[in-house]
Amino acid sequence: MTSSQIDTFATQIRQRRANYGSLEETAAACRREMEGIFGSFGPEMIANLEAAVEKVRADFQDVEILRRHSIVDAPEDWYRGPGANSYHWSALHEYLKTKGWNPDTIGSLDRASTEVVSLLGNPGRDKFACRGLVVGYVQSGKTANMTAVMAKAVDAGYNMIIVLGGVTNKLRKQTQDRFEKDVLRHRNLWQLYTTSDPAGDFVQPANGGFVMPAEGHAQLTVMKKEGSRLKQLRRTISKTPAIVLRELKVLLIDDECDQASVNSARGEFDMTRINAEIRRVLAALPAVTYVGYTATPFANVFINPYPYGNEEDLDDLYPRDFITALERPIGYFGAREVFGSDSAEADGEERDMIRILHEDDPDRLRPTSPRDKESFRPEMTESLEDAILWFLSTCAIRRARGQEDEHMSMLVHSSQFVRQHEYMSELIRDWVEQRRADLISGSGEPTARLREVFERERERTAPHGQDRIPEDFDAVLAHVPSVLDALCYPVENGETDEPLRLDYTSGPVTCIVVGGTVLARGLTLEGLCVSFFLRTSKQYDTLLQMGRWFGYRRGYEDLPRLWTTEDLASKFRSLAVIEEEIREDIAIYRESKLTPRDFAVKVRSIPGMAITAATKMKHAFRTSMSFSGKHVQTIRFDHSSSEILGSNWGAASQLVDAMLATSVPVRKNRGLLFRGVSFQAVRRFLAATEISDEHMDLKKSHLIRYLDETAGSLGEWNVAIIQTKSATQSAKPLGDLGKVPTMRRSRLREASPRYADIKALMSKEDVLIDADRKPDKEDWTAYKSCRPPIPLLLLYLIDAKSEPKERKSGGAEPPSRVALDAVSDVVGFGIVFPGQKDRSGGYFSVDIEAPAVEETEEGQDQIEEVEGADA
């Protein structure tokens, strides 16, 4: 029995399943068709066909849905996974295989989408009103989850899908195209109210309302999130006969649901137009599930969970029934790869892909005042030249790897002003075209600069298991002519004429795209390899959505680069950790059997930054998270200040002497452990220690205040001095311990010269120094759960020089790290607090800083499309 033949039969059965009443009828039709071509089946072929039927049948067995990633409000157990009549999911499953998806990735999508569908309202009921939120990752394939959820929902009984596909025509068209290609595999089973044509957005049908859904069929609308369009949708619902309305089981998917959907009106009982229209649509439908998708749920979790009490008494969009966080996709290139984790283990190292711009670059590349947005002309800088030349190199390398039929993109995002996009695109195009002849011939100064950039970057990252990028400069030169021939320069903003915009529909694209806010929401830049990023924001959600460099980089994981400012890189590093905290908290709340109606997702505040627009936070309490259940660590140091470093060493020495006076330390594998240290001794140490002001999320005043508020429950501490096998000794004695071994913690090359950023101080293994058991999982939560319920202070004594380590392969350390070069030895500390996250009663208040106008705009280059005109 050949498994490959069984797999082939199974694929054919899945693809044809929608046209027949049972699996046996489908198999019989496949056999008739093949016997007409190849002749009668023998016993082995018949046996293989029967095995294929059973294999497909096994796909439709009821499964236990664990809901590992969700907070759920007592869901009805109505959906157990794809069944025998799951035509749409079967077709999508087979289509994904033809697109080259590996079985593990498809399996992950299958599990995640089944979990989401199980949380929707039961379409077997006459009436239901379900509200949910799905939290994905930026550029992570949320649309793939949407398509799978749509397919399974229709298979399970939903007969109308309404998708709010972004706030621009471009995004709506992209969404419509994707769903038609992926979900509508059985086109005869669908009725479309919208198309991908420029004029194909939703309008009220000629007959006024929606039509009666046919058994096994579904209706699809993909529309722009615009007031006038939503008003036409509401009118259509109102004109739909009651007998039809009762039969409609509606799944309304709101893509990028934190944009435009959330009520940002200033008044307590006011509503923005788009928010009001969405709520009226939901109120008019007797059986509807609303599911919002976003990677930045900050605004959504701050929605008022209760009706406003206005005269319409409309329900708001708070995800009252479920919140689910999608698992990290296999092969995803995200914050972990770009910025690393918050652990000091070697395998937690980030990739060396961030390049910091010269200090004067921003002022040469963008206007410093809105008054100059029309007159300012950007000028070419060395860093922008480097970025362009590396992009040309990456395109050549990918062609050498056989990827010439794939998209290749560079993003330049320097300003929110439309005129500046045009000027920047002209600057880049002219610069490249002036050097085209020399680059093609492989001669002159342009080629010398190309070689310089290539050789420098080639050494900075490497594929897994290699010391450098394997291609040499000759391989680059061989493909540069074809790169330049293919290169185009699209501009993407709300005002760009269609011929100048990105178009992936006519074959592989090689482009340097300049744009505004439209590039920071939903629009996927295919094959993005180089980003040149100046635009900043003081809002979490706006900043994270700008991270278009996340996504999938199969076959060229060693090539992506990000040129940006020191400030932006620093903010992204902090936000990457906060983003993961939200996902962890969703899982923790689920384990505690809490629901979205009786807990509020809390988001850690960073002083100087707003979580989202102030008008979207009017129902949020002005509190920051407690430290309960968390770990904190010092990762940034004022390494050039002998006064600060000396004072901190003195504070650590005083703590050591106080501990030695009352207890004897125990030698552990990872250092010395003192048990039962008094709260007063620890507080004195922390009060005397200077924490660098460059920490965005660890402020000394907040830490001391929290300690004072919870002193009664933090009476005794364990304190450990973490020590490695290092041969270096401290220059000064650490109190009565004398000179002690110091460890090596090199700093990030691309951080500011004002301070030393080591990215991570603690290792997960360090928190086990006072533990009585080993963890069963490789994450911070599992490690901390092994500890006793008392706080742990960890001291790290860092060698002043701290040269980077050599690679295990024998080569030099990648130059993302350089020597610490502090003026004296450094004291760092970490604290592991007991308890559950967000379950203690002690919080410290933080005023939310109202952002400036240019930082709260949904995108000045989109404003006309967002608002729309009255229909």
Side-chain angles (χ1 to χ4, degrees), residues 647-666:
S647 174
N648 287 353
W649 192 271
S653 298
Q654 291 176 9
L655 174 62
V656 166
D657 288 347
M659 293 189 298
L660 288 173
T662 58
S663 62
V664 177
V666 178

Side-chain angles (χ1 to χ4, degrees), residues 126-435:
D126 292 335
K127 291 185 177 182
F128 56 88
C130 181
R131 305 284 184 272
L133 175 66
V134 179
V135 181
Y137 289 79
V138 175
Q139 294 288 91
S140 67
K142 294 190 301 296
T143 307
N145 185 271
M146 282 185 223
T147 59
V149 166
M150 287 168 59
K152 291 180 178 181
V154 171
D155 288 335
Y158 280 84
N159 52 32
M160 174 169 281
I161 309 293
I162 300 173
V163 181
L164 305 183
V167 296
T168 66
N169 289 324
K170 185 86 172 183
L171 294 181
R172 192 207 70 81
K173 178 184 184 304
Q174 178 178 281
T175 305
Q176 176 94 30
D177 286 338
R178 176 72 179 272
F179 289 156
E180 285 191 28
K181 185 181 297 183
D182 289 7
V183 184
L184 276 62
R185 309 305 298 166
H186 299 296
R187 181 64 182 82
N188 60 309
L189 300 180
W190 288 85
Q191 177 176 348
L192 272 63
Y193 287 98
T194 56
T195 70
S196 59
D197 292 335
D201 205 342
F202 183 79
V203 294
Q204 189 170 358
N207 65 344
F210 292 115
V211 299
M212 179 70 77
E215 183 70 27
H217 288 59
Q219 304 175 49
L220 174 66
T221 296
V222 181
M223 59 189 297
K224 204 157 63 259
K225 203 183 306 186
E226 178 186 83
S228 61
R229 298 291 176 183
L230 287 163
K231 188 174 182 179
Q232 291 193 61
L233 175 63
R234 180 164 54 87
R235 286 175 176 169
T236 303
I237 295 171
S238 69
K239 295 295 184 181
T240 300
I243 190 173
V244 175
L245 207 56
R246 285 196 296 269
E247 296 300 318
L248 293 179
K249 314 298 180 183
V250 182
L251 173 59
L252 194 155
I253 293 177
D254 187 352
D255 193 11
E256 303 292 352
C257 61
D258 60 313
Q259 183 188 33
S261 301
V262 177
N263 185 17
S264 57
R266 296 188 180 280
E268 177 69 18
F269 302 108
D270 297 331
M271 292 181 287
T272 50
R273 184 180 178 198
I274 291 175
N275 174 261
E277 290 294 349
I278 294 175
R279 291 158 65 180
R280 289 175 183 134
V281 165
L282 294 175
L285 294 166
V288 58
T289 292
Y290 169 90
V291 180
Y293 276 78
T294 183
T296 50
F298 309 112
N300 304 86
V301 299
F302 292 140
I303 293 172
N304 185 0
Y306 303 101
Y308 283 120
N310 57 23
E311 59 184 20
E312 295 183 80
D313 199 31
L314 286 175
D315 184 16
D316 207 345
L317 305 181
Y318 181 75
R320 65 184 185 222
D321 295 295
F322 69 88
I323 302 175
T324 184
L326 299 179
E327 61 182 302
R328 193 174 190 277
I330 297 170
Y332 178 62
F333 189 95
R336 188 181 304 169
E337 285 72 24
V338 181
F339 302 108
S341 69
D342 62 345
S343 174
E345 278 93 351
D347 60 3
E349 287 296 311
E350 75 285 351
R351 303 193 185 193
D352 182 21
M353 62 172 284
I354 299 175
R355 305 290 174 264
I356 300 300
L357 303 184
H358 298 299
E359 194 170 339
D360 63 341
D361 276 4
D363 290 345
R364 297 170 62 191
L365 291 163
R366 67 183 180 198
T368 56
S369 168
R371 295 190 302 271
D372 301 327
K373 64 182 181 181
E374 299 291 332
S375 59
F376 179 85
R377 287 280 185 168
E379 58 183 272
M380 185 60 63
T381 65
E382 184 179 353
S383 56
L384 181 54
E385 289 182 0
D386 289 350
I388 296 169
L389 291 170
W390 177 243
F391 175 64
L392 298 179
S393 299
T394 64
C395 295
I397 292 169
R398 292 187 62 193
R399 281 167 166 76
R401 294 178 183 179
Q403 299 173 17
E404 61 276 358
D405 292 331
E406 298 183 21
H407 301 301
M408 305 177 192
S409 303
M410 174 178 172
L411 160 66
V412 179
H413 191 29
S414 60
S415 171
Q416 73 266 39
F417 301 123
V418 170
R419 186 68 63 199
Q420 290 302 310
H421 304 159
E422 299 171 7
Y423 294 159
M424 179 64 76
S425 186
E426 291 173 9
L427 175 71
I428 294 171
R429 182 176 61 249
D430 292 346
W431 188 87
V432 173
E433 292 304 314
Q434 289 169 11
R435 288 153 181 79

Side-chain angles (χ1 to χ4, degrees), residues 4 101 115 155 213 240 252 296 335 481 657 725 782 798 808 823 854:
S4 61
W101 285 46
E115 179 172 328
D155 288 335
T240 300
L252 194 155
T296 50
D657 288 347
K725 296 179 181 179
I798 303 171
K808 292 180 180 179
V823 294
E854 64 269 23

Side-chain angles (χ1 to χ4, degrees), residues 109 332 388 444 520 559 613 636 837:
L109 176 65
Y332 178 62
I388 296 169
L559 303 182
R636 292 171 182 169
K837 291 183 179 180

